[in-house]
Amino acid sequence: MYSDDLAAELGRLKPQRVHLLEGTNTDSGLTMKADTTWFGDASGFEVATDVLYEALCDSRCTKTAEEVEVMRYVSKISSDAHVRVMKACKPGMMEFQLESEFLHHCYSSGGCRFAPYTAIVGAGEHGAFLHYGHSGAPNAGQIPDSSLVLIDAGGEYHGYAADITCTFPSSGKFTPEQRVAYEAVLDAHTKVIASMKPGVSWLDMHTLAERTILSGLAAGGFLAGDLDEMMAANLGSVFMPHGLGHLIGIDTHDVGGYGPRFPPRPDRAGANRLRTARMLEQDMVITVEPGCYFNRYLLTRAFGDASHSKFLVREKLEANLNLGGVRIEDNVLITADGSESFTSVPRTVEEIEALMAS
């Protein structure tokens, strides 16, 4: 049926109520307004704009068995592509060459013709910029020797997205300082996934990740002081200035994160970047992506903030401002009593170094 046939069809059906799609995407902030111009002379029915948008969002927040099967597949293809990128990486290559390697594998081996978002391939300090890789900074840097490489990339299959991030050393071996940052993030990643199940607060998981990363940085000599005091000062937002993860499905950042029936967006820095603060529900698929970034701007600002600077080992941090960033991201299904990660890539330092040496 075409839109110019709708008025006549409504006149034939004589419905009591017509639901129109109208609402605001809580992730993008964009509002969709219902179009009533096609009604023509049709009348005699109630028009409702307060139900359909929320109902569709709810239907996308939890996945059917068929959707889960597709998302497992695209995550498997994307995981394999990440492995190929790790093995292909050599110092001196261009960042876009790794992006090309990733996209080629997803299409040639998995039939993923499209990507759900522009890949981020950040080497060295580029990895400390959260959405590096866009048209203003198009993965155009040369990969230095002994630098961390952060690649956030996924394939898309039948409209469903994967969103996976791996971080690895360009030379194939982590330096001691890189290892501290990496293992702090990996510890957070592991603890969060182990804690996920229906009824768990996503804000609590974000807080767990922040605490774990700060603990790892303190153990590695980058921070000093009481961990509880660091948390009270919101120091975690200096090193992880983004939310822990987001719902994923037909959109990379899928709908339904906030709404009238769910917890509001938190106020504090870092947590206010969460794309949802909901309680986890069975059959949700959500990304788990803790990160730790040695962002020059954020650290310089923190050095000048007495509430943060008292915890910072300035000499060591300044000596590692070129370290860049670490992010580790899986796509995770909430099951009846826990969770299942769809992502299958080397994660430990030993696994990554062994792969890159093979």
Side-chain angles (χ1 to χ4, degrees):
M1 181 183 296
Y2 295 99
S3 59
D4 54 4
D5 297 325
L6 287 172
E9 184 66 8
L10 288 171
R12 183 184 72 80
L13 293 172
K14 296 181 172 53
Q16 292 184 334
R17 177 181 297 174
V18 173
H19 292 278
L20 300 182
L21 192 62
E22 181 171 300
T24 299
N25 185 316
T26 60
D27 190 83
S28 67
L30 297 177
T31 296
M32 172 183 289
K33 298 294 291 184
D35 179 12
T36 59
T37 58
W38 51 267
F39 283 173
D41 296 329
S43 61
F45 52 80
E46 177 189 353
V47 174
T49 59
D50 60 345
V51 175
L52 185 56
Y53 190 89
E54 188 175 344
L56 288 174
C57 286
D58 280 352
S59 72
R60 284 170 58 170
C61 285
T62 55
K63 304 298 188 284
T64 65
E66 292 80 8
E67 288 177 304
V68 167
E69 184 178 357
V70 173
M71 294 193 73
R72 276 202 189 98
Y73 174 80
V74 71
S75 291
K76 172 63 167 62
I77 294 300
S78 301
S79 295
D80 291 346
H82 274 281
V83 170
R84 285 184 65 97
V85 166
M86 285 188 208
K87 294 188 73 169
C89 180
K90 297 290 185 294
M93 292 178 69
M94 303 300 290
E95 293 164 336
F96 61 75
Q97 290 179 284
L98 298 187
E99 177 185 10
S100 176
E101 183 77 22
F102 182 91
L103 295 172
H104 173 71
H105 180 83
C106 286
Y107 195 11
S108 66
S109 297
C112 300
R113 187 175 191 183
F114 302 108
Y117 59 95
T118 302
I120 299 166
V121 184
E125 288 195 58
H126 292 166
F129 298 94
L130 298 186
H131 287 103
Y132 178 80
H134 56 75
S135 58
N139 296 329
Q142 189 171 36
I143 298 171
D145 191 16
S146 299
S147 70
L148 287 178
V149 180
L150 185 156
I151 174 164
D152 183 335
E156 180 182 299
Y157 191 72
H158 283 260
Y160 286 84
D163 183 359
I164 297 170
T165 307
C166 295
T167 308
F168 52 89
S170 64
S171 63
K173 289 284 187 181
F174 287 87
T175 68
E177 291 77 15
Q178 291 170 351
R179 183 168 187 152
V180 167
Y182 185 86
E183 291 190 329
V185 175
L186 181 61
D187 191 20
H189 181 267
T190 302
K191 286 179 177 175
V192 166
I193 292 178
S195 302
M196 291 168 65
K197 62 182 178 180
V200 167
S201 161
W202 194 235
L203 177 57
D204 287 350
M205 294 296 94
H206 178 90
T207 304
L208 172 62
E210 287 180 314
R211 187 179 187 89
T212 305
I213 290 167
L214 291 178
S215 177
L217 292 177
F222 288 102
L223 304 176
D226 182 78
L227 184 57
D228 290 334
E229 292 181 10
M230 292 180 195
M231 291 296 294
N234 201 29
L235 186 64
S237 66
V238 174
F239 294 95
M240 191 173 82
H242 62 74
L244 176 63
H246 51 82
L247 296 166
I248 183 171
I250 296 174
D251 276 339
T252 306
H253 298 155
D254 218 350
V255 296
Y258 293 99
R261 296 180 289 111
F262 308 127
R265 186 181 295 274
D267 292 326
R268 67 178 177 87
N272 62 1
R273 300 297 182 181
L274 279 167
R275 297 181 186 272
T276 186
R278 290 178 61 169
M279 301 295 179
L280 298 178
E281 298 177 17
Q282 183 176 351
D283 298 324
M284 281 181 168
V285 180
I286 192 164
T287 66
V288 178
E289 48 182 305
C292 176
Y293 310 89
F294 284 46
N295 181 283
R296 191 177 293 270
Y297 169 77
L298 293 178
L299 282 171
T300 299
R301 189 173 67 177
F303 292 145
D305 180 343
S307 68
H308 289 155
S309 62
K310 62 182 179 180
F311 302 113
L312 305 177
V313 180
R314 183 164 183 164
E315 183 179 1
K316 183 158 186 173
L317 286 166
E318 286 184 331
N320 288 278
L321 284 176
N322 65 348
L323 187 144
V326 174
R327 185 163 62 252
I328 301 173
E329 180 179 14
D330 280 22
N331 302 165
V332 179
L333 171 70
I334 307 303
T335 63
D337 57 0
S339 66
E340 174 197 343
S341 174
F342 293 159
T343 308
S344 179
V345 295
R347 284 304 192 200
T348 68
V349 166
E350 294 76 15
E351 289 169 347
I352 293 168
E353 291 183 346
L355 173 71
M356 296 186 73
S358 64

